[in-house]
């Protein structure tokens, strides 16, 4: 049976190779299985949990949509929309925040990381962010949610919220309990400068990530400058112990080539690093620079993006407003 897929990406700019390999590449593969129905959301309500400049936010919503389209998400096959256009998300989020428990939210590690030392100054939105994420997913009866490893805990919370709603209101199976879809390998792409840190849009060093808007020369330069170590290329996967940078680069190669890490290790064992880096740079440029060209093209004249978001939000509205209406009826409104 086909899957009902929902996933979201925040429009916070600088989407990178980690987002592509960990999430968006999967979105496209899931969409291309005709049995699935897919909804992909630019989660702009999530973005304002930290301060945003309105003009930059507006551009980032378009840019994230352009990344979806340029990566191969097709508005004729998937619903593409931005969250703030469908008011059911905020409405359902309130209802579910009365179901979720403080104790559950207090365990969320992403809040602890993002709020940092001064928790008192974090927005309430940042704290309840996973409840909005649950609303996103549950409104569409999603059965499967493709995300990177870092979102696993939020998915578990969505499952708990769905189950508690169904049991509190004696409506078994009304909210569908979603399964996370996390790739077994390559679900965490690391910084090019530090193999122990995730590749991240907020890293101050631009050399730490390949942005999906980087051109061919920028990509090649960044791979050449990526950190490695003084040992030779490994010939077995246990040769990668304590070599996170090399493991990450081989993982990027394997993932973009749709092959296993073991095969990449075999391919390069005995090679020197510069040969490997040349091949890797070539592959990343071959896969990413067409995407970056297409993004730039789409952003030059954004009427197409605006039209796709408008049409997508109408379709999403149709599904989500029905679900929230049923929720309200169950609650007794
Ligand atoms: P975000 O940009 O944080 O909204 O993330 C969008 C999607 O990309 C989520 O599914 C994340 O789990 C995924 N993601 C973000 N950074 C990485 C990374 N370094 N490696 C793999 N997946 C990532
Ligand atoms: N929290 C996710 C992230 O930061 C984005 C997100 C919001 C999401 N709503 C979602 C992902 C629903 C999957 C499903 O990456």
């Amino acid at each position: 049976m086909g899957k009902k897929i929902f996933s979201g990406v925040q429009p916070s700019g600088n989407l990178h190779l980690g987002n592509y390999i960990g999430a968006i590449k999967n979105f496209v593969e899931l969409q291309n299985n005709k049995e699935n129905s897919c909804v992909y959301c630019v989660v702009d309500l999530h973005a304002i949990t930290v301060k945003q400049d309105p003009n930059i936010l507006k551009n980032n919503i378009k840019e994230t949509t352009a990344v979806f389209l340029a990566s191969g998400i097709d508005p004729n096959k998937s619903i593409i929309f931005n969250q703030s256009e469908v008011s059911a998300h905020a409405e359902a989020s309130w209802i579910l925040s009365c179901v979720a428990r403080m104790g559950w939210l207090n365990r969320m590690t992403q809040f602890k990381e993002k709020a940092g030392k001064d928790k008192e100054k974090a927005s309430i939105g940042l704290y309840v962010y996973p409840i909005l994420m649950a609303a996103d997913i549950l409104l569409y009866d999603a059965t499967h949610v493709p995300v990177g490893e870092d979102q696993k805990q939020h998915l578990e919370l969505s499952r708990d919220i769905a189950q508690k709603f169904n049991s509190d209101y004696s409506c078994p199976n009304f909210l569908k309990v979603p399964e996370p879809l996390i790739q077994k390998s390559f679900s965490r792409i690391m910084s090019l400068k530090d193999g122990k840190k995730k590749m991240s849009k907020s890293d101050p060093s631009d050399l730490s990530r390949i942005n999906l808007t980087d051109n061919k020369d920028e990509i090649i330069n960044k791979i050449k400058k990526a950190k490695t170590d003084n040992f030779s290329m490994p010939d077995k996967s246990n040769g990668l112990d304590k070599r996170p940078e090399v493991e990450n680069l081989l993982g990027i190669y394997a993932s973009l080539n749709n092959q296993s890490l073991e095969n990449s290790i075999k391919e390069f064992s005995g090679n020197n690093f510069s040969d490997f880096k040349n091949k890797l740079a070539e592959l990343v440029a071959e896969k990413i620079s067409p995407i970056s060209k297409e993004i730039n093209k789409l952003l030059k004249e954004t009427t197409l993006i605006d039209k796709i978001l408008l049409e997508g939000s109408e379709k999403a509205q149709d599904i989500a407003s029905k679900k929230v209406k049923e929720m309200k009826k169950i609650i007794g409104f």
Side-chain angles (χ1 to χ4, degrees):
M1 219 185 56
K3 302 182 171 83
K4 280 193 178 179
I5 306 290
F6 185 99
S7 196
V9 174
Q10 291 196 56
S12 27
N14 285 344
L15 285 182
H16 52 71
L17 190 64
N19 297 121
Y20 181 72
I21 293 177
I24 299 167
K25 182 168 172 276
N26 263 342
F27 297 180
V28 179
E29 282 161 18
L30 287 162
Q31 158 197 275
N32 290 341
N33 177 342
K34 284 201 186 71
E35 306 234 304
N36 297 336
S37 58
C38 303
V39 182
Y40 296 123
C41 183
V42 178
V43 290
D44 48 9
L45 296 174
H46 278 102
I48 63 165
T49 54
V50 296
K51 196 162 192 295
Q52 300 286 339
D53 172 311
N55 288 318
I56 297 176
L57 178 62
K58 198 180 232 167
N59 286 330
N60 282 342
I61 293 169
K62 297 188 188 206
E63 188 178 300
T64 304
T65 311
V67 169
F68 281 1
L69 298 170
S71 305
I73 299 177
D74 176 350
N76 294 314
K77 296 183 184 160
S78 301
I79 298 179
I80 303 172
F81 76 109
N82 62 314
Q83 196 186 24
S84 61
E85 284 299 305
V86 179
S87 57
H89 289 250
E91 228 178 315
S93 178
W94 172 256
I95 294 172
L96 297 178
S97 71
C98 300
V99 174
R101 304 289 96 180
M102 295 272 290
W104 300 356
L105 282 175
N106 287 340
R107 286 199 285 274
M108 296 295 115
T109 53
Q110 186 174 296
F111 174 75
K112 290 179 199 159
E113 274 162 30
K114 287 202 174 166
K117 282 197 201 84
D118 207 354
K119 276 214 304 274
E120 302 283 313
K121 291 221 171 96
S123 74
I124 305 288
L126 192 65
Y127 181 66
V128 296
Y129 170 122
I131 303 178
L132 177 60
M133 178 161 164
D136 297 342
I137 297 166
L138 302 176
L139 279 172
Y140 296 84
D141 292 336
T143 57
H144 293 82
V145 181
V147 280
E149 172 70 30
D150 59 345
Q151 295 300 315
K152 190 166 172 219
Q153 198 184 30
H154 290 162
L155 248 298
E156 276 156 12
L157 185 86
S158 300
R159 293 167 59 87
D160 290 343
I161 291 177
Q163 278 160 340
K164 183 156 164 52
F165 184 96
N166 291 344
S167 108
D168 283 359
Y169 290 102
S170 309
C171 51
N173 290 325
F174 169 68
L175 293 179
K176 302 290 173 284
V177 181
E179 296 287 336
L181 275 182
I182 298 171
Q183 308 179 89
K184 284 191 200 70
S185 21
F186 326 127
S187 66
R188 264 169 82 86
I189 301 299
M190 310 312 275
S191 155
L192 299 180
K193 288 284 152 200
D194 177 352
K196 291 194 232 31
K197 257 177 38 193
K198 228 178 51 161
M199 185 177 285
S200 158
K201 52 185 134 197
S202 54
D203 194 311
S205 164
D206 195 54
L207 286 174
S208 71
R209 64 181 163 263
I210 307 278
N211 299 305
L212 295 177
T213 48
D214 284 344
N215 64 32
K216 196 172 169 187
D217 292 341
E218 287 165 324
I219 294 172
I220 292 173
N221 180 42
K222 285 179 180 177
I223 299 283
K224 290 218 164 118
K225 293 208 169 120
K227 188 174 168 201
T228 48
D229 56 31
N230 298 324
F231 305 101
S232 53
M233 291 296 291
D235 52 14
K236 289 199 251 5
S237 53
N238 61 11
L240 286 172
D241 285 353
K242 305 224 171 75
R243 301 182 68 187
E245 285 85 12
V246 180
E247 180 171 10
N248 187 44
L249 294 179
L250 277 163
I252 292 172
Y253 185 88
S255 155
L256 291 179
N257 231 359
N258 289 319
Q259 69 186 35
S260 67
L261 186 62
E262 282 68 32
N263 278 345
S264 307
I265 294 173
K266 255 190 231 144
E267 187 174 337
F268 292 105
S269 88
N271 282 34
N272 58 37
F273 263 115
S274 64
D275 290 341
F276 166 59
K277 276 192 167 179
N278 285 341
K279 278 257 176 71
L280 176 65
E282 219 174 89
L283 176 67
V284 180
E286 178 198 316
K287 298 283 178 186
I288 301 302
S289 60
I291 296 178
S292 89
K293 271 193 200 139
E294 183 64 18
I295 294 171
N296 291 327
K297 200 171 111 198
L298 285 162
L299 289 175
K300 278 212 180 86
E301 169 45 56
T302 60
T303 43
L304 179 64
I305 291 180
D306 296 339
K307 179 168 169 275
I308 287 169
L309 285 177
L310 179 67
E311 289 173 1
S313 67
E314 284 165 358
K315 292 183 204 157
Q317 172 82 30
D318 239 26
I319 302 171
S321 64
K322 283 197 189 104
K323 191 75 184 180
V324 85
K325 213 168 165 182
E326 288 177 61
M327 274 173 103
K328 287 161 81 171
K329 211 166 136 198
I330 288 172
I331 289 168
F333 291 155

